[in-house]
């Protein structure tokens, strides 16, 4: 099988090879465009997130996908599932809003809790932090798709899988001819 | 042409496209469903205390204590009357909403319950205590005349939107003007 690929590669002339490289570049750049376009469209810095922990079980399990929006004019209300970032933690957290207090000047502070946790999130926040604010928020969950995120979890936990998949895809695109 | 690789690829691709189509059909089939339902609530005992919330601040805050009755047939309504295959779980929660001189809007979840598909969800709760503490952000509970309890539920589907629906019906009560010692 691999010999076949090599033969194909040898039979290509320079122009054909360049064409394949360019079409590979097209695929990568259009994927990037879709992602950036989604960011503009949803107002969230990360419009699709993978659930990484079991703290929202049985609603969300590890590997489920969530679609987020983060529109400025939409108020935060209790019961909503929000994704937020904590200073000093790389991974955003997906939890439900438990309490909100909105001041007369419009500033809002809120407290979250995971459905599967027995206590609220004050222990997860940065030391001394009691409340979340709107600037901490990455988005709120709007759509749900099960299992699909398992692929990215697999790739992140076993980097060899990631490189193997990337290598196969790259080779296929470069060698494949219409 | 008919190698193992080609056949395997065809089978995988076909399986995947069938799964995607079915999932999308499941999402589309329930996009317009109206999930609203009615509920009845009543408060029984109402007290307010003034204590420091340990671990949060040293200041004295108002802490409300209520017991309540709750009557509703949510999942019964959703699964029997609408027979909906795209409901995996309900997250039912009771919210207290009120206004204080410092905060124009306060919302606190006092009680919640996760109801999985197939579980009994004819909720007829009598003389319930709240599941979470009713801490105010300051001293706005004593003598507050207008605290509204509402029931909402977040529908977790198998695939699709995550709607939050407010049940029809609410209950308004006032806190006493004296702290309970």
């Amino acid at each position: 099988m691999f010999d076949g690929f090599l033969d194909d590669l040898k039979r290509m002339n320079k122009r054909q090879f360049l064409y394949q490289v360019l079409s590979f570049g097209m695929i990568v750049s259009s994927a990037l465009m879709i992602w950036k376009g989604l960011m503009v469209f949803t107002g969230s810095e990360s419009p699709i997130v993978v659930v990484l922990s079991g703290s929202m079980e049985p609603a969300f399990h590890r590997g489920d996908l969530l679609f987020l929006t983060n529109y400025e004019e939409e108020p935060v209300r209790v019961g909503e599932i929000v994704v937020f970032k904590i200073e000093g933690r790389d991974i955003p957290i997906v939890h439900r809003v438990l309490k909100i207090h909105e001041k007369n000047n419009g500033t809002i502070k809120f407290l979250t809790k995971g459905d599967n946790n027995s206590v609220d999130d004050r222990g997860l926040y940065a030391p001394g932090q009691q409340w979340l604010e709107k600037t901490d928020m990455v988005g709120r969950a709007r759509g749900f798709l099960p299992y699909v995120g398992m692929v990215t979890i697999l790739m992140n936990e076993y980097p060899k899988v990631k490189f193997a998949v990337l290598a196969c895809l790259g080779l296929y695109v470069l060698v494949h001819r219409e | 042409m008919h190698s193992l690789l080609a056949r395997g690829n065809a089978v995988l691709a076909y399986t995947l496209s069938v799964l995607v189509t079915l999932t999308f059909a499941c999402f589309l089939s329930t996009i317009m469903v109206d999930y609203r339902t009615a509920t009845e609530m009543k408060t029984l005992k109402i007290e307010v205390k003034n204590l420091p919330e340990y671990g949060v601040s040293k200041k004295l805050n108002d802490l409300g204590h209520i017991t309540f009755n709750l009557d509703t047939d949510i999942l019964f309504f959703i699964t029997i009357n609408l027979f909906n295959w795209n409901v995996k779980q309900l997250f039912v929660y009771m919210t207290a909403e009120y206004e204080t001189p410092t905060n124009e809007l306060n919302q606190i979840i006092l009680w919640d319950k996760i109801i999985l598909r197939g579980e009994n969800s004819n909720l007829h709760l009598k003389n319930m205590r709240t599941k979470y503490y009713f801490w105010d952000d300051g001293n706005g509970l004593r003598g507050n005349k207008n605290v509204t309890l509402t029931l909402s539920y977040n529908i977790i589907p198998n695939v699709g939107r995550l709607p939050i629906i407010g049940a029809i019906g609410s209950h308004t009560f006032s806190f006493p003007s004296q702290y309970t010692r």
Side-chain angles (χ1 to χ4, degrees):
Chain A
M1 195 185 89
F2 192 68
D3 287 342
F5 280 138
L6 278 185
D7 282 347
D8 273 347
L9 211 56
K10 271 180 203 156
R11 262 185 281 137
M12 278 187 193
N13 60 33
K14 219 174 179 180
R15 278 162 191 261
Q16 265 175 328
F17 183 72
L18 264 175
Y19 180 77
Q20 299 289 12
V21 170
L22 277 179
S23 59
F24 184 61
M26 269 304 271
I27 293 172
V28 173
S29 54
S30 48
L32 193 71
M33 270 166 68
I34 291 173
W35 181 251
K36 292 286 175 189
L38 270 179
M39 277 170 76
V40 174
F41 195 64
T42 60
S44 171
E45 59 183 284
S46 164
I48 300 174
V49 294
V50 177
V51 178
L52 292 173
S53 82
S55 62
M56 284 296 280
E57 278 177 22
F60 306 146
H61 294 85
R62 220 170 121 71
D64 292 346
L65 272 195
L66 293 179
F67 299 89
L68 311 183
T69 63
N70 195 13
Y71 300 121
E72 197 62 37
E73 65 278 6
E74 267 181 328
V76 185
R77 292 293 175 258
V78 291
E80 282 181 316
I81 299 162
V82 295
V83 180
F84 54 90
K85 269 190 174 152
I86 298 293
E87 259 186 69
R89 280 176 189 265
D90 309 330
I91 300 165
I93 303 174
V94 184
H95 279 175
R96 198 183 292 276
V97 178
L98 189 69
K99 274 173 102 163
I100 66 154
H101 295 294
E102 191 171 332
K103 284 245 182 302
N104 302 331
N105 61 14
T107 56
I108 191 162
K109 55 182 187 180
F110 56 96
L111 178 67
T112 53
K113 175 183 168 290
D115 287 1
N116 200 22
N117 297 351
S118 51
V119 291
D120 61 46
D121 287 349
R122 285 203 169 117
L124 291 176
Y125 298 165
Q129 185 180 12
Q130 307 291 358
W131 302 94
L132 292 178
E133 275 157 38
K134 261 203 149 168
T135 45
D136 299 315
M137 215 166 78
V138 176
R140 60 197 90 197
R142 292 289 167 184
F144 171 76
L145 187 64
Y147 305 124
V148 177
M150 222 53 222
V151 181
T152 60
I153 289 186
L154 269 179
M155 284 191 192
N156 279 330
E157 274 178 13
Y158 306 101
K160 277 181 189 162
V161 177
K162 178 162 64 184
F163 293 130
V165 169
L166 279 180
C168 284
L169 278 181
L171 209 65
Y172 179 75
V173 172
L174 282 181
V175 168
H176 178 73
R177 273 189 291 181
E178 303 289 304
Chain B
M1 224 32 213
H2 298 286
S3 66
L4 193 69
L5 206 69
R7 283 168 198 247
N9 183 29
V11 169
L12 260 178
Y14 188 66
T15 316
L16 208 64
S17 52
V18 167
L19 279 176
V20 167
T21 315
L22 277 177
T23 310
F24 195 66
C26 185
F27 158 64
L28 277 186
S29 66
T30 53
I31 203 166
M32 298 294 279
V33 175
D34 182 6
Y35 287 106
R36 278 175 301 174
T37 164
T39 181
E40 226 170 277
M41 281 174 281
K42 210 171 100 188
T43 41
L44 305 169
K45 198 178 91 181
I46 305 163
E47 279 178 352
V48 58
K49 291 178 181 175
N50 197 233
L51 298 165
E53 188 178 356
Y54 294 108
V56 177
S57 80
K58 292 193 177 86
K59 277 193 301 183
L60 292 177
N61 284 337
D62 278 6
L63 172 64
H65 276 295
I66 63 168
T67 57
F68 61 95
N69 290 352
L70 179 68
D71 266 311
T72 184
D73 298 314
I74 297 172
L75 200 73
F76 177 76
F77 180 78
I78 289 174
T79 49
I80 307 298
N81 290 20
L82 297 166
F83 191 70
N84 190 338
W85 50 72
N86 202 8
V87 175
K88 180 170 86 178
Q89 181 214 305
L90 289 174
F91 182 82
V92 186
Y93 58 97
M94 190 176 79
T95 314
E97 192 173 319
Y98 59 97
E99 197 182 325
T100 59
T102 48
N103 295 322
E104 69 175 10
L105 178 73
N106 302 274
Q107 283 185 321
I108 298 177
I109 295 186
L110 293 181
W111 173 88
D112 64 21
K113 188 173 168 60
I114 291 171
I115 301 170
L116 286 169
R117 183 188 185 77
E119 275 180 358
N120 177 26
S121 62
N122 303 353
L123 303 175
H124 299 288
L125 308 171
K126 296 268 175 275
N127 208 0
M128 288 288 290
R129 286 156 161 272
T130 59
K131 187 171 162 187
Y132 305 108
Y133 285 112
F134 194 164
W135 280 111
D136 182 41
D137 177 42
N139 301 303
L141 289 185
R142 186 179 66 158
N144 199 319
K145 292 270 175 289
N146 196 6
V147 181
T148 307
L149 293 181
T150 51
L151 192 82
S152 320
Y153 38 101
N154 182 204
I155 294 175
I156 314 289
N158 289 316
V159 60
R161 297 186 318 123
L162 294 157
I164 288 180
I165 291 120
I168 302 157
S170 64
H171 174 77
T172 305
F173 68 94
S174 47
F175 274 108
S177 51
Q178 290 297 317
Y179 288 127
T180 310
R181 300 248 158 228

